[in-house]
Amino acid sequence: MPKDSGIGASSKRREDVRFLTGAGNYTDDINVHGQAYVHFLRSDIAHGRIKSVDTSAAEAMPGVVRVFTGKDFEGVGGMPCGWEVTDKHGAPMQEPPHPILAQGKVRHVGDPIAAIVADSLEQARDAAEAIDLDIEELPAVIDMKAAAQDDATLVHDDLKNNICYDWQLGETDDAKVDEVFANAAHVTTLDLVNNRLVANPMEPRVAVGEYKRGTDEYTLFTTSQNPHVIRLLMCAFVLGLPEHKVRVVAPDVGGGFGTKIFHYAEEAFCTFAAKACGRPVKWTSSRSEAFMSDAHGRDHVSKIELALDADNNFIGLRTNTYANLGAYLSTFSSSVPTWLHGTLMAGNYKTPVIQVNVKAMFTNTVPVDAYRGAGRPEATFQLERVVDKAARELGLDPIALRRQNFVTQFPYDTPVALTYDTGDYNGTMDKLEAAADLAGFAARKAESEANGKLRGLGINCYIEACGIAPSNIVGMLGARAGLYDAATVRVNATGSISVMVGAHSHGQGHETAFPQVVADMIGIDESMIEIVHGDTSKIPFGMGTYGSRSLAVCGSAMVKATEKVIEKAKKIAAHLLEASEADIELKDGQFSVAGTDKSVAWGDVTLTAYVPHNYPLEVEPGLEETAFYDPANFTFPAGAYACEVEVDPDTGQVSIEKFTAADDFGNIINPMIVDGQVHGGIGQGIGQALLENCAYDENGQLLSASYMDYAMPRADDVPFYGVDHSSQTPCTHNPLGVKGCGEAGAIGSPPAVVNAVLDALNSGGKAVDHIDMPVSPSRVWAAMNS
Amino acid sequence: MYSFDFEKPSTVADAVAALGAEDAQALGGGQTLIPTLKQRLAAPSKLVSLSGIAEMQGVCVEDDGSLSIGGATTHATVAREAAATYPALAALAGQIGDPAVRNRGTIGGSVANNDPAACYPAGVLGSAATIVTNTRQIAADAFFEGMFTTALEEGEIITSIRFPVPQVASYQKFLQPASRFALVGVYLARFADGVRVTVTGASEDGVFRWSEAEEALNKEFRPDALMDLRINPANMIADLHGSKAYRAHLVSVMTKRAVEACM
Ligand SMILES: Cc1cc2nc3c(=O)[nH]c(=O)nc-3n(C[C@H](O)[C@H](O)[C@H](O)COP(=O)(O)OP(=O)(O)OC[C@H]3O[C@@H](n4cnc5c(N)ncnc54)[C@H](O)[C@@H]3O)c2cc1C
C-alpha cells in the first residue's frame, strides 16, 4: 500500500506551487536600493599577452561609477582550488594563480579583463566599448595531447609545462599490469572521447554584493549550491574578510547541476566592489556569458583496455586519460578526473587488477569542473563501452558477460580504493530484464525493420560513490574542506518545526522530502515542518548540495538532531505525566506511558518547553537541537539501464524508443521525487549522448557559443521512461539507509544510448566499433558510410 | 542594445516615409532583429514596426487562384489560414521554430532576412512566388541573391508575397539539432507546367533550385527518377552539424521523401 504521508509517500512537491506560479525568489529578483550594475569586458581571443588596458575614456562616460582591471586586485587573493591532488611521483599538482580579473595574460575566450560598474547595465556596456585594449595574440593551446608535448606553448608561463598532474590509481607496478595483459586470452581496446558539456541551468548565474558601512558587514546574494562554502572560500582565500561579517544568501536557485558549486570571480568581485564603490553592485549573466564563464563539464580523451581470461572473466583493466581542466583550476576541478573518476573504474565488476592513469591538462578553454555525476559518468562510459565491445568481439550476450563478472560479496574492497558496503547487482539486473521487457525486444526489432529502421538494444550498469563524503578520508586524498553536514531542528512553542539545513535545494525537492522524515519520526503532519536553507545567517555551517549527498549526509544530521529533540521532549513529557522517562513512548504525535492510557500531545509538550511553569528543573527550557553528521563511508547506488533506439539508415537520425532504468537507491523517502530525479538525469545523459557538444576550433573560439549550435535535449528528444527502484539494499552506515539518486540517470544513460546505437548499426550489417558522443545524425551516417 | 527611436505607422506609405530616416530599419516580428540588437550587432537609429499596418496582414485567395500573404503576416497565421488552399506552405510555416516564434515572426521578415537555413525562402522560390514591395514586383528567381542578401533596396518593404498554388507540393525539413532550423530542407512543388525543387540549409549560396532533379522529375515523377542523381558537395555548408558530403546526401534523401509525399 503506498503511503500518503511520511517516509515512502509521494508527497507533492510543495515548492512547485511558488515556482510554477511565478512566486519564486531568485537572485535576479533581488534588487538592493541604490544598486549599480557591473558588466565584464571579456576576452574575445583564447590566449594573449595584455600590453595595456586604457580605461580613461570609459571612466569619463555617462553613468560610470568605476572601472576595475586586474591591477585593482593585485593586493587580494585569487580564486582558490579546494582539492590538492598529489601526482604519481608524490609531488603536489601545479597550481597556477587565478586572478579575479586577468593579470598579464588572457587565457580563454570569456576571461574577464575589466569590470565596469555604472548606474545602468547599458551604460556599463557603452563604457566597455570605450576601453582601449592592446593584447598581443599568442598561439592557443587547445588539443590536450599537443598541450602535453615538451615544446607546447605554455598556458601559464610560470609552470614547467601544461600538465597539472600526472596521476595514477590502482596497481602501481606497470610490469604486473603488462603481465596480466600478456597472459590474457582476449584484450579489448577502445579509444574514446567524453564530450565537453555546458551545464546550462535554466537560471544563469547572478551575484549582488552589498556593504553596510555602519556595521562593516557584507551580504552576497548569489546563485549557489553551497552558500557556506562560498563564504569560507571568499573570506579566507580571496578577499581576507572576517567570516562573521559576511552573509551569503543563495535564495531560490534555478538548477545547478554542479556548475553552481564553485566560487566564481564574479561573486568575489561584486562583494569587493560594493565596498570599493560605496554602492551595492549587481551582475546578471547573459546566456552568452554563461557559455564562456560557467565551468564546463567532462572533456576527457581516454584509451581503455580490458583483459579477459579464457572463461571470459575480467582479469585486468588499464586506462589512460587526458582530462581537460581548462585555463584555470576551478574550485573542485582537480578532484573530478582523479578521486571521483579513478575510484569508480571497478564499476560493478570484480576485476582484480586495475590501473588508472590521468594526465590533467591546462588549455586555453573555459575551466572544467564537476557536472552532474562528476567523474563517475566518465568512468562508467569507458568501462561500459569496453565491456560492450568485448561482448561483441567474443560473440557473448552482453548481459551474461556482465553478470558473470559482477561483484556479489559485500562488503567488497575494490583495487581502486573504495569499499562497497552493499548491493545486489544480479537482483537489479533481474528487475531491469522484467521492467524493460527484454524478452519482447526481438518482436519490436522486427517491427522496426518492417518500417525500414534499424533497432538496437543497449545495456549498461553503473555504480557511483555518493553522499560525499567522510571528511577524514577526503582529507587524506587532498580535499581542503570537510564534507560533513549539519541541521538544526527548531521546534516552535505551538509544535510546528523549522529545520535549518546545510544542504541547498535547487530543484531537488528538499522542502518536501526532508519534512517527510521528521514528520514520520514524531508522528505529526508534514505541513507542520518547514525547511530553511540557503542563508548563512540562518543555517548551521553545512557543505551544500552536490554528489547526491543531501539526504544521505544532511538528512542524517537532521535525523540526529530530531532524535535529540525527541529525547528532550520525552523528559518534559515524563515530567508532565509523572512517569519515568524510560517508560515514555512517542507515537502519532502523542507521548504516552507504556502500558497505561496516560498521554500528552506533542503540542502540549512543545508549549511546556517554552512556557516552563510546570517543568523539570534539571532540563533547559526551549526545544532546539543541532547535529553535525560526518558519514562513515560513501554510499553506493547502483543500477542497470536498457535503451532501445531506432536508427534511420537514410539519414543517421537516432530516436530513443524505449528507456528503462532499474536503480538501487537503498531506502526511498519520496518515490515521486526519486522518479523525477532519475528522469532529469537520464534526460541530461541523453543530451550528452545524442546532442550536446561544446566545441572549440583550433584558435580557441567557442563554436557552440549559443543555442543556435549547442543542442539541448528537448521534450520530444526523450521517450517516456520506465523507472524501477524496487531493488533496495539499504545503505549500511547512515540512519535512513539511503544512498542518493541525483546523479544516477546522468551516469547510467550515456553508455546505454551509445551501446544501443552500435547494436543497431552492427545488427544492420555494419561493423562499427565506436562513435563518439554526441551520436549526431551526421556522425552516425559517417560511421555507416566509412 | 543601443537606444533607438521607435515608430509604429498604420499605412505602408507612412512606413516608407519613416524608413527614409538615416539608418532606420523595418521591424517585423523581431525574431531575428531583436536578438541581433541585444548582442549589439546592429545599431539602427530608428525601428519602424510593420505590425500595425492592416494592408500587410492576412492570407487571401486572388482572382487568378493564387494565394496572397501580407508581408507582416505571422507564421502561425499562415499555418492556420493557408492550410486549406496551400497545405504544403501552411505545413512549412507550422514547422518554423516554436509557438512563440511563430506567433511573432513574419513571412516578410523571414524572406527579407534570407537566412541560408530558413524555411520560407525554399517555399517562396519553390512556388515561383512573386515578392511584392512598396515599389515593384520581383520574381522569386530574381530575388534571392545569396546568404543574407536579396534584391531589396534600402528601405524597401515586402508588402505581400503571391504564391501560385501547385497541384501538389511538399516541404521536407531535416532539423539542425540545436537551432532546429533546416540542416537541409527541400521544397518540391508540382505545377501543370513542371516541377520545381528548391533546397535550403545546404548551400553557401543560400536557397537554390536543384535543376537536375527538376529535369529528372519532369521526365518521370516518381522517387526512383532521382536514383542516380547526386548533388555536387563542393558548395555545401560544412559545420559542427554536418559535413559537405552529409548535406549533399541529405538533399537527395529529402528530395526523394518529398516526391514520395506527393505521390
Ligand atoms: C528560436 C527561433 C527559432 C527559429 N526557427 C526557425 C526555423 O525553424 N525556420 C525558419 O525559417 N526560421 C526560424 N526562425 C526565424 C524566424 O522565422 C524569424 O521570424 C524570421 O527569420 C524573421 O522574421 P521576423 O518577422 O521576426 O523579422 P525581424 O526579426 O523583425 O526582421 C528581420 C529582418 O527583416 C527585415 N524586415 C522585417 N520585415 C520586413 C518586411 N516586411 N519587408 C522588408 N524587410 C523586413 C528587418 O529589417 C530585419 O532586417 C527562428 C527564430 C527563432 C528566434
Side-chain angles (χ1 to χ4, degrees):
Chain A
M1 254 291 281
K3 294 172 72 179
D4 58 9
S5 79
I7 292 176
S10 282
S11 301
K12 288 219 173 100
R13 290 179 22 127
R14 55 173 86 172
E15 48 268 74
D16 286 351
V17 176
R18 74 174 188 277
F19 296 153
L20 296 177
T21 60
N25 181 38
Y26 295 92
T27 309
D28 198 42
D29 294 323
I30 293 169
N31 292 295
V32 184
H33 179 70
Q35 77 194 9
Y37 298 81
V38 60
H39 172 74
F40 291 96
L41 175 64
R42 295 180 184 277
S43 178
D44 58 8
I45 60 169
H47 196 192
R49 198 172 307 286
I50 302 172
K51 297 274 179 92
S52 68
V53 182
D54 181 354
T55 60
S56 50
E59 276 156 24
M61 300 273 289
V64 172
V65 176
R66 197 172 149 182
V67 181
F68 296 82
T69 66
K71 284 201 168 52
D72 295 288
F73 292 91
E74 276 165 7
V76 304
M79 307 314 296
C81 178
W83 200 300
E84 181 174 289
V85 168
T86 303
D87 80 4
K88 65 180 183 187
H89 307 295
M93 66 186 187
Q94 298 201 78
E95 202 170 347
H98 181 185
I100 292 175
L101 297 176
Q103 292 171 353
K105 280 218 258 182
V106 291
R107 294 187 176 86
H108 66 87
V109 168
D111 206 0
I113 301 167
I116 306 92
V117 179
D119 291 338
S120 77
L121 183 58
E122 292 303 323
Q123 287 171 325
R125 294 182 70 179
D126 287 344
E129 289 175 9
I131 291 177
D132 195 10
L133 291 178
D134 182 4
I135 299 182
E136 175 200 344
E137 195 162 349
L138 300 169
V141 180
I142 302 299
D143 179 78
M144 286 193 277
K145 289 182 183 169
Q149 301 299 314
D150 288 341
D151 59 350
T153 303
L154 290 178
V155 176
H156 294 275
D157 299 351
D158 294 337
L159 302 188
K160 57 180 191 283
N161 53 32
N162 291 318
I163 304 171
C164 178
Y165 49 76
D166 184 356
W167 180 84
Q168 191 176 68
L169 184 67
E171 182 53 58
T172 51
D173 183 351
D174 291 348
K176 186 170 169 199
V177 180
D178 289 342
E179 192 187 318
V180 170
F181 276 85
N183 295 333
H186 184 82
V187 173
T188 297
T189 303
L190 195 54
D191 287 289
L192 37 76
V193 173
N194 203 293
N195 42 328
R196 179 184 277 243
L197 304 176
V198 183
N200 278 307
M202 199 180 289
E203 177 205 31
R205 289 188 297 119
V206 183
V208 186
E210 193 185 5
Y211 174 70
K212 292 229 162 57
R213 194 164 55 86
T215 53
D216 191 30
E217 284 173 336
Y218 298 79
T219 304
L220 170 67
F221 299 93
T222 183
T223 46
S224 174
Q225 301 176 216
N226 42 352
H228 267 112
V229 175
I230 301 305
R231 190 182 72 170
L232 175 61
L233 293 174
M234 184 171 76
C235 291
F237 299 101
V238 189
L239 299 180
L241 302 175
E243 260 182 293
H244 66 290
K245 289 292 193 186
V246 178
R247 174 183 170 210
V248 175
V249 184
D252 286 334
V253 171
F257 313 114
T259 203
K260 290 175 182 166
I261 299 171
F262 323 122
H263 182 31
Y264 285 97
E266 294 88 354
E267 295 170 322
F269 176 84
C270 288
T271 308
F272 179 89
K275 182 174 185 184
C277 298
R279 279 174 74 174
V281 174
K282 180 170 190 172
W283 172 69
T284 303
S285 172
S286 69
R287 187 58 71 180
S288 311
E289 247 179 322
F291 271 97
M292 54 179 163
S293 69
D294 289 2
H296 292 172
R298 315 278 193 260
D299 204 350
H300 286 192
V301 174
S302 300
K303 179 191 187 82
I304 180 163
E305 301 158 278
L306 175 67
L308 300 93
D309 69 13
D311 299 324
N312 304 319
N313 296 310
F314 301 164
I315 54 170
L317 186 76
R318 177 166 51 201
T319 73
N320 277 284
T321 289
Y322 288 86
N324 205 335
L325 296 176
Y328 302 101
L329 288 173
S330 172
T331 312
F332 288 111
S333 56
S334 50
S335 66
V336 176
T338 50
W339 298 108
L340 295 176
H341 159 254
T343 50
L344 273 302
M345 275 326 306
N348 308 53
Y349 312 108
K350 50 186 188 237
T351 317
V353 176
I354 300 178
Q355 187 186 65
V356 180
N357 298 285
V358 179
K359 281 195 176 73
M361 305 305 305
F362 291 113
T363 60
N364 291 118
T365 62
V366 171
V368 180
D369 206 324
Y371 168 70
R372 201 170 191 167
R376 290 151 289 172
E378 295 89 319
T380 307
F381 186 68
Q382 293 172 67
L383 182 60
E384 292 296 318
R385 284 288 303 113
V386 84
V387 168
D388 221 61
K389 188 178 174 205
R392 183 166 301 114
E393 286 174 349
L394 293 165
L396 299 170
D397 170 34
I399 294 180
L401 180 62
R402 286 177 167 88
R403 282 186 184 271
Q404 173 183 344
N405 286 284
F406 275 160
V407 172
T408 51
Q409 303 284 323
F410 296 91
Y412 174 75
D413 290 327
T414 72
V416 277
L418 294 179
T419 302
Y420 300 166
D421 61 338
T422 178
D424 178 7
Y425 308 148
N426 276 305
T428 309
M429 183 62 89
D430 293 342
K431 300 278 185 189
L432 179 75
E433 292 201 34
D437 180 27
L438 294 188
F441 174 70
R444 294 191 291 275
K445 185 177 163 94
E447 197 182 319
S448 296
E449 281 169 1
N451 294 325
K453 300 282 170 57
L454 305 173
R455 195 176 185 109
L457 170 65
I459 299 292
N460 175 67
C461 295
Y462 75 87
I463 177 143
E464 47 171 338
C466 290
I468 48 178
S471 298
N472 58 343
I473 295 182
V474 297
M476 269 161 21
L477 304 182
R480 289 165 168 161
L483 282 169
Y484 52 85
D485 221 291
T488 297
V489 175
R490 176 179 298 159
V491 183
N492 300 305
T494 51
S496 67
I497 301 174
S498 303
V499 186
M500 278 63 77
V501 293
H504 187 281
S505 189
H506 33 276
Q508 293 84 349
H510 297 173
E511 291 173 37
T512 301
F514 280 32
Q516 290 180 245
V517 174
V518 177
D520 227 48
M521 291 176 71
I522 299 174
I524 55 177
D525 198 81
E526 284 166 37
S527 65
M528 289 177 68
I529 301 147
E530 186 177 69
I531 299 301
V532 178
H533 67 93
D535 184 342
T536 58
S537 72
K538 292 183 179 164
I539 61 171
F541 196 117
M543 299 304 293
T545 289
Y546 38 82
S548 306
R549 71 191 301 275
S550 298
L551 192 61
V553 186
C554 187
S556 298
M558 180 178 71
V559 168
K560 299 266 179 210
T562 306
E563 281 167 359
K564 290 191 204 175
V565 160
I566 291 171
E567 200 180 316
K568 181 170 176 184
K570 280 185 177 172
K571 288 195 171 73
I572 302 169
H575 179 87
L576 292 176
L577 294 166
E578 298 175 338
S580 147
E581 193 192 327
D583 293 336
I584 301 294
E585 291 172 349
L586 171 60
K587 190 162 182 277
D588 297 336
Q590 292 284 326
F591 295 91
S592 54
V593 184
T596 74
D597 60 357
K598 288 206 307 183
S599 74
V600 59
W602 168 254
D604 292 326
V605 172
T606 62
L607 190 63
T608 304
Y610 290 93
V611 187
H613 296 164
N614 176 16
Y615 201 73
L617 282 178
E618 70 281 7
V619 178
E620 287 177 16
L623 199 48
E624 170 170 333
E625 298 290 345
T626 295
F628 284 75
Y629 178 81
D630 205 327
N633 190 357
F634 293 88
T635 64
F636 295 98
Y641 286 11
C643 174
E644 286 181 34
V645 299
E646 272 188 358
V647 178
D648 180 341
D650 293 336
T651 62
Q653 180 82 49
V654 174
S655 71
I656 299 192
E657 297 298 310
K658 193 169 163 68
F659 198 106
T660 314
D663 299 288
D664 175 359
F665 296 134
N667 293 333
I668 283 171
I669 305 301
N670 182 317
M672 180 197 69
I673 287 180
V674 170
D675 283 355
Q677 289 289 307
V678 174
H679 288 185
I682 297 172
Q684 280 181 308
I686 289 174
Q688 165 160 38
L690 293 185
L691 296 158
E692 299 184 44
N693 185 22
C694 179
Y696 283 93
D697 71 9
E698 70 275 13
N699 299 316
Q701 291 296 327
L702 193 52
L703 296 175
S704 49
S706 78
Y707 292 139
M708 292 300 282
D709 288 299
Y710 189 91
M712 294 295 285
R714 290 152 157 107
D716 62 352
D717 290 314
V718 299
F720 284 92
Y721 307 115
V723 176
D724 182 310
H725 27 74
S726 59
S727 179
Q728 295 183 359
T729 58
C731 169
T732 56
H733 54 81
N734 65 40
L736 291 167
V738 297
K739 295 182 174 177
C741 66
E743 296 155 298
I747 295 170
S749 56
V753 173
V754 177
N755 288 346
V757 173
L758 289 164
D759 184 52
L761 298 188
N762 282 280
S763 67
K766 303 280 172 187
V768 180
D769 274 346
H770 181 65
I771 304 176
D772 277 325
M773 300 187 290
V775 183
S776 61
S778 65
R779 287 183 178 180
V780 173
W781 179 79
M784 288 169 71
N785 290 282
S786 64
Chain B
M1 55 182 80
Y2 300 105
S3 52
F4 50 81
D5 294 330
F6 183 75
E7 269 190 60
K8 191 173 179 183
S10 54
T11 65
V12 170
D14 287 350
V16 170
L19 283 169
E22 200 175 329
D23 293 330
Q25 195 172 358
L27 175 70
Q31 296 303 291
T32 297
L33 187 50
I34 299 290
T36 311
L37 296 180
K38 283 168 94 174
Q39 290 185 290
R40 296 190 158 210
L41 295 174
S45 61
K46 182 199 282 183
L47 286 191
V48 180
S49 168
L50 306 177
S51 62
I53 302 173
E55 59 196 290
M56 285 177 65
Q57 292 288 348
V59 178
C60 67
V61 181
E62 302 284 338
D63 294 342
D64 64 357
S66 66
L67 194 70
S68 179
I69 301 177
T73 310
T74 64
H75 308 330
T77 303
V78 174
R80 207 169 46 239
E81 295 184 7
T85 37
Y86 195 170
L89 189 71
L92 174 150
Q95 289 174 61
I96 295 175
D98 50 48
V101 170
R102 293 195 288 275
N103 282 324
R104 296 291 311 173
T106 67
I107 189 169
S110 176
V111 171
N113 194 48
N114 193 19
D115 187 302
C119 303
Y120 263 130
V124 169
L125 187 62
S127 307
T130 301
I131 292 94
V132 182
T133 75
N134 55 309
T135 56
R136 56 187 171 142
Q137 304 197 351
I138 311 167
D141 280 313
F143 182 83
F144 299 103
E145 296 182 340
M147 57 161 83
F148 297 113
T149 27
T150 68
L152 289 175
E153 304 283 345
E154 192 92 347
E156 192 172 1
I157 299 173
I158 299 175
T159 53
S160 69
I161 300 183
R162 263 205 328 268
F163 292 87
V165 179
Q167 296 163 337
V168 60
S170 170
Y171 178 55
Q172 297 291 327
K173 178 181 183 184
F174 191 83
L175 299 180
Q176 194 260 48
S179 70
R180 295 202 171 181
F181 276 65
L183 186 67
V184 167
V186 170
Y187 199 89
L188 185 151
R190 188 179 194 188
F191 292 91
D193 60 354
V195 173
R196 288 172 74 98
V197 176
T198 55
V199 180
T200 187
S203 169
E204 294 279 3
D205 301 324
V207 65
F208 68 96
R209 283 174 70 180
W210 188 15
S211 38
E212 291 87 350
E214 292 178 353
E215 274 163 36
L217 291 167
N218 278 332
K219 283 201 202 104
E220 201 181 8
F221 193 82
R222 48 189 200 91
D224 287 353
L226 300 165
M227 208 129 82
D228 300 319
L229 223 50
R230 295 280 174 277
I231 195 158
N232 182 355
N235 268 347
M236 301 276 127
I237 297 170
D239 61 16
L240 269 185
H241 308 287
S243 62
K244 289 170 185 276
Y246 182 56
R247 280 188 167 81
H249 168 75
L250 282 180
V251 171
S252 297
V253 175
M254 293 296 121
T255 308
K256 183 163 158 265
R257 288 184 181 178
V259 179
E260 282 162 356
C262 288
M263 298 295 281

